[in-house]
Amino acid sequence: MADLNMTPTRVALLRGVAAGQVDHHRTWDVKKPDYDVWKWMPGAQRRVTTDIAKLRAAKLIEVGPAKGPSMYASQPWRLTDAGRQVLADLDATANAGK
């Protein structure tokens, strides 16, 4: 497993990335940092920039291609092989107790 404490929030966020619910957004204003949004249910979203940075540093996720032609188009986060393995290990552990 990754060298990151996989809290329930990080596990849920990793599952959100796997489901295509998390996007990276670039800003026009150089004074405002880029940010990441998790659309975890219709009509609801949450900024998750800090947790995304930790998942990326652990090499569990990577940013995908832009959703449009503009350099400011949002980009989906996607799992790396390591991220898929973490989720598989978590699922195997959960199913072992059943």
Side-chain angles (χ1 to χ4, degrees):
M1 193 174 280
D3 294 333
L4 178 66
N5 179 20
M6 292 304 291
T7 64
T9 299
R10 290 183 186 145
V11 170
L13 183 56
L14 199 60
R15 291 189 191 286
V17 168
Q21 299 171 336
V22 186
D23 290 330
H24 178 72
H25 296 267
R26 296 186 67 189
T27 61
W28 288 84
D29 188 344
V30 296
K31 295 179 183 178
K32 294 181 181 178
D34 295 350
Y35 61 95
D36 302 292
V37 174
W38 178 15
K39 294 179 182 173
W40 53 279
M41 65 182 277
Q45 65 183 28
R46 175 179 172 196
R47 284 198 182 198
V48 289
T49 306
T50 302
D51 281 322
I52 284 291
K54 291 176 183 178
L55 293 175
R56 185 179 194 185
K59 299 185 185 331
L60 299 179
I61 61 172
E62 62 188 4
V63 71
K67 292 182 175 180
S70 169
M71 67 182 275
Y72 295 101
S74 64
Q75 298 169 272
W77 285 101
R78 58 187 180 190
L79 297 178
T80 61
D81 290 338
R84 284 187 284 280
Q85 185 62 50
V86 166
L87 285 182
D89 291 348
L90 289 168
D91 289 342
T93 301
N95 290 333
K98 292 182 179 181

